[in-house]
Amino acid sequence: MNITPMIINGCPVGADTTLGVVNLVSTSGVADSAATLGVINPASGEVFAQVPAASSAHVDAAVAAAQAAFPAWRATPDAERQRLLHAIGAALEAHMPELMQLVMQESGKPVNGLDGVGAGMEVAGAIAWTHVTADLPLPVEVIQDDAVARVEVHRKPLGVVASITPWNWPLLIAIWHVIPALRAGNTVVLKPSEYTPLATLRFAELANAILPAGVLNVITGTGEVGAALATHAGVAKVVFTGSTETGRRIMQGAAPTLKRLTLELGGNDAGIVLPDVDVRAVAPKLFAACFHNNGQTCACLKRLYVHESIHDALCAELAALAGRVVVGDGADPATQLGPLQNARQLAIVESFAESARRDGGVFLCGGHRRPGPGYFFEPTIVTGLSDGSRLVDAEPFGPIVPVIRYADVDEVIARANANAQGLGGSVWSADPARAAALAQRLECGIAWVNEHGAVQPDAPFGGIKQSGIGVEFGRHGLLEFTTLQTLRVAK
Ligand code: NDP
């Protein structure tokens, strides 16, 4: 089975030379990785590819390469960096079918997917984000320019950025981390999830054909490799997307060297449906907001609060939609929902279903894993629960959603806000102005009206409370990869 190499200082690393891969011993004195990790196709549960398991020496070598590349990359004119990033966008576009195939095979995501959310969207999004981010300006701000002094504020890169990405949107999130970091003049060491390293490695290979050596390095391995990278003294900033628990560990590990952080962590987004909605019209949108990518998106709708006057009617519509949704291998173009991404996530989702049963939940559909190979779980809708149940209070990150009855809108806003997470939230109504006023009372980083989960490359996205620190996307996101220097020239 082929071993897809890591990339350190522009060289493929981690497999032996018989595979036509450069041996790191000959280039930077670090031994090749003997160990490999299998990559599993979650639709079959079978290993279909291998990647190297990086050692601590590989982590050191990758950080050293990024440090060595930093001065020249920082000094590269802005316009040239933008040109190279656009070239990366073009390379992604030229390899779109191959990247879609890798994303589909390693993540289980269908090619098309429910509501168009699939591997195709992931790769198209990666291309769009690359181009929009490449075009973002980083102007010098002039605070004062008079007879006394000229005072300017400059944005400088930070140094080496460590990017640690999860398995739910592996390529897109790598792009969200890497492209703004490079745009601002930083160099990067990227560590994808051990479950989904392949599309990221291919992206890094394509990018390395365009970028100077050492500007973008990628190492593969388990969470231990992520921890070694995130705590490395040579790293100036960590950008991380994943669980709140790991985010906390990264924050602790950043303290000794005061690393800058952007943490995009879990969410337990509430959606509030007002009594004036057209139930039949709104049901498919709510269903897609809850179930796209099998609920494995940080900003999926995870707690659905529905006014008591329409609760039963909406539940019936949602259950009917669940009955019709096509679950299967993502390789089949008709598939709308694929498998869970990994066996551990499937076990987490099963345990949420068991908790809901114990708490007296009424299962309108689903509730079980599907027999046979792969990590499939039936789309599941549970009612009869309230706040205080695990399925309502915590994020399952899978195709299981509680529908919760409410009577009073002020009370339901308070219930939606009574949660440690604060990523997104939505209000659904025939009166968008009223819904927008209510949405602004939700304690979350992004509030939607009559939709849930839409993001765009030019508007900031990020959680508050325990959903994270900082934002990504657009000018606000770009600035997180910079530090300020105030320049005061006396006259
Ligand atoms: P983790 O947060 O553990 O993993 C995310 C990334 O961090 C992976 O690359 C992982 O590597 C790496 N990692 C793990 N431990 C460390 C560490 N100590 N230091 C640095 N990096 C580390 O997520 P899980 O895969 O365990 O998923 C668990 C839960 O996290 C899910 O049920 C879901 O609730 C949430 N989650 C949220 C995501 C989001 O988009 N906000 C995405 C994924 C998960 P490796 O995979 O190789 O272990």
Side-chain angles (χ1 to χ4, degrees), residues 31-389:
D32 261 359
S33 168
T36 58
L37 295 168
V39 184
I40 292 174
N41 179 337
S44 65
E46 284 172 11
V47 172
F48 72 100
Q50 300 276 345
V51 295
S55 65
S56 61
H58 289 116
V59 178
D60 289 342
V63 174
Q67 283 178 310
F70 178 59
W73 183 245
R74 172 176 54 186
T76 301
D78 236 25
E80 175 64 1
R81 282 205 298 263
Q82 290 182 299
R83 187 185 71 76
L84 294 174
L85 295 182
H86 280 303
I88 292 173
L92 293 174
E93 197 163 359
H95 293 82
M96 203 171 169
E98 179 194 351
L99 290 164
M100 278 168 58
Q101 175 75 6
L102 288 173
V103 167
M104 185 271 292
Q105 276 183 303
E106 67 181 349
S107 75
K109 193 173 281 148
V111 176
N112 300 316
L114 179 66
D115 207 29
V117 181
M121 177 199 251
E122 176 152 4
V123 180
I127 296 163
W129 251 267
T130 299
H131 287 303
V132 171
T133 309
D135 279 337
L136 289 173
L138 267 174
V140 174
E141 193 183 346
V142 180
I143 304 283
Q144 179 186 336
D145 191 15
D146 56 20
V148 178
R150 180 174 168 91
V151 182
E152 299 173 346
V153 178
H154 292 251
R155 291 284 176 171
K156 307 267 180 170
L158 295 154
V160 177
V161 170
S163 152
I164 298 175
T165 56
W167 40 259
N168 56 341
W169 291 91
L171 177 65
L172 190 53
I173 293 175
I175 293 290
W176 289 352
H177 290 186
V178 169
I179 300 299
L182 297 182
R183 167 72 193 88
N186 304 281
T187 53
V188 175
V189 180
L190 169 57
K191 206 296 276 182
S193 168
E194 67 196 274
Y195 297 115
T196 52
L198 299 175
T200 306
L201 286 166
R202 186 68 177 120
F203 149 56
E205 189 184 8
L206 294 169
N208 266 275
I210 293 163
L211 296 169
V215 167
L216 173 59
N217 308 274
V218 57
I219 51 175
T220 49
T222 63
E224 276 176 40
V225 173
L229 176 62
T231 53
H232 199 288
V235 166
K237 173 180 173 114
V238 183
V239 52
F240 169 76
T241 304
S243 64
T244 299
E245 196 186 322
T246 302
R248 274 191 207 103
R249 267 190 236 127
I250 286 176
M251 199 168 178
Q252 280 170 340
T257 48
L258 292 179
K259 296 186 200 316
R260 274 50 181 167
L261 295 173
T262 299
L263 303 177
E264 209 275 88
L265 310 176
N268 194 15
D269 288 13
I272 297 172
V273 186
L274 302 187
D276 63 356
V277 297
D278 175 339
V279 168
R280 288 202 78 166
V282 91
K285 295 180 190 169
L286 287 166
F287 185 82
C290 294
F291 286 97
H292 77 73
N293 202 31
N294 251 333
Q296 301 171 116
T297 299
C298 50
C300 269
L301 205 172
K302 294 177 182 135
R303 294 177 285 157
L304 184 56
Y305 290 94
V306 179
H307 190 266
E308 59 185 3
S309 62
I310 55 165
H311 174 274
D312 292 354
L314 185 55
C315 280
E317 290 287 337
L318 293 172
L321 287 162
R324 289 200 292 274
V325 76
V326 182
V327 181
D329 189 329
D332 181 342
T335 295
Q336 292 176 295
L337 298 180
L340 273 294
Q341 200 285 319
N342 59 74
R344 197 171 55 139
Q345 196 57 37
L346 176 60
I348 291 173
V349 171
E350 283 185 293
S351 84
F352 270 92
E354 278 156 31
S355 306
R357 262 181 218 109
R358 275 199 303 276
D359 290 342
V362 177
F363 284 65
L364 303 179
C365 54
H368 302 280
R369 67 175 296 176
R370 286 203 341 193
Y375 310 137
F376 291 95
F377 193 86
E378 299 164 341
T380 302
I381 299 172
V382 186
T383 187
L385 297 175
S386 193
D387 314 34
S389 298

Side-chain angles (χ1 to χ4, degrees), residues 263-265 422-424 444-446 461-465 467-471:
L263 303 177
E264 209 275 88
L265 310 176
L423 186 58
C444 53
I446 181 158
F461 172 74
I464 61 169
K465 303 204 280 190
S467 285
I469 291 181
V471 294

